[in-house]
Amino acid sequence: MTYCDFTKDDLDGEIYNDISTYDSGLIINRNQTENMYFYPYGSSENFTYKWDVLNSKGVSIASSELEVFPLTLETGGKFQIRLTVKDTVSGCERQITQELQCLIDNSCTNTNPKSQKVKELYEELLISLLARSIQGETDDQINASAPTKEFIALKPYITNGPKDKIYNYVSTSRNYTEVDGREKVFRAQFSFSPNREYDVDAIIGWGIGYDAKKTTIANLKATIKDSLYTDLSQYVSSEQFIKSCKRRYYAPTRVSKKWIHHLFTIVITVQKSDILTFVLVKLIHVILQ
């Protein structure tokens, strides 16, 4: 182990600005300058800084070697901000990379009547699939089944795939059980094409269970629907991500965020306190134009 390996935590920290919160993640408003800072977990007296902002293709579009980086972005969507911190005394350096979302106020989804329709149809498909898993249907059974009425309703808006069924469906359950030995389902993944691992990655908090003696299928689907949150207001293009946040419960606990992304990803990632619902949506194969 080198000296820099041994002392790398001394260079650790996080990137932040004045408008970002734990709820929102690292954000910036389009065409508005925000100062980007590095918050070190230790001393920063001897640091130098090299900033880079990368677009979705990994191309650097802005850079700086200032300690405080004044950043302005003209295009909305998802970016990465990368900071290389170097200790001039030891010569050690560390690279920190965080996701940065540039917010817009003029998404085409605000005026396009198809947007809400596609959102509703997609959520109905996801609710149906999750409900089937929660009731005990296996992944193999769902993958082998005929297209449901929910899929058929969404089918006209799917643009990349054979449009015959869903593929590669995988559900994930918690290790503990809800009732009668049945586990809570908290995750579902599937794609609209057999050659893609998944286009949808949905995570719902601590999971949802089902007891036929205590509730109905209608109530189960209502519970799933209440757990989903899709905000299309930050839609930029079919290759960009939308990140939404829904506060469900409050507790004075710091929540670390894990951003999970892909097509129409509904992510309800709740860590420890069931505080926050985080959502990402990528509209790759759905017509909104």
Side-chain angles (χ1 to χ4, degrees), residues 7-14 38-47 49 67 85 87 94:
T7 62
K8 63 183 180 180
D9 289 343
D10 295 340
L11 298 169
D12 203 5
E14 59 185 309
F38 174 64
Y39 178 78
Y41 298 153
S43 173
S44 61
E45 293 180 359
N46 304 305
F47 286 1
Y49 303 85
E67 180 177 356
V85 181
D87 187 323
R94 181 164 188 156

Side-chain angles (χ1 to χ4, degrees), residues 67-173:
E67 180 177 356
V68 177
F69 178 20
L71 176 63
T72 306
L73 294 176
E74 299 178 353
T75 304
K78 178 189 173 186
F79 299 84
Q80 282 193 335
I81 184 165
R82 186 171 62 196
L83 172 63
T84 302
V85 181
K86 183 175 182 178
D87 187 323
T88 58
V89 175
S90 66
C92 301
E93 64 179 37
R94 181 164 188 156
Q95 189 175 94
I96 296 104
T97 302
Q98 290 179 218
E99 181 179 309
L100 173 65
Q101 181 79 12
C102 183
L103 304 181
I104 60 174
D105 58 7
N106 62 343
S107 172
C108 65
T109 60
N110 295 337
T111 56
N112 190 330
K114 288 184 179 180
S115 303
Q116 188 63 30
K117 180 67 173 178
V118 171
K119 171 186 171 181
E120 291 173 357
L121 293 175
Y122 161 73
E123 288 189 344
E124 287 300 316
L125 174 61
L126 181 56
I127 290 167
S128 172
L129 291 168
L130 284 165
R132 291 167 67 183
S133 290
I134 293 167
Q135 292 175 81
E137 199 167 343
T138 68
D139 296 347
D140 287 342
Q141 288 173 327
I142 292 177
N143 280 312
S145 64
T148 62
K149 63 179 182 179
E150 292 85 5
F151 178 88
I152 293 171
L154 182 64
K155 178 179 175 178
Y157 302 95
I158 301 171
T159 62
N160 192 338
K163 298 187 178 184
D164 55 350
K165 56 177 293 186
I166 65 162
Y167 292 87
N168 305 319
Y169 181 82
V170 177
S171 62
T172 308
S173 301

Side-chain angles (χ1 to χ4, degrees), residues 225-256:
K225 184 174 183 178
D226 182 61
S227 299
L228 303 182
Y229 177 64
T230 313
D231 179 9
L232 301 182
S233 68
Q234 293 304 307
Y235 175 82
V236 176
S237 75
S238 63
E239 294 301 323
Q240 292 286 332
F241 291 87
I242 299 174
K243 180 165 54 181
S244 304
C245 173
K246 179 181 180 181
R247 181 180 293 275
R248 302 187 66 194
Y249 305 104
Y250 175 77
T253 303
R254 177 172 173 172
V255 177
S256 61

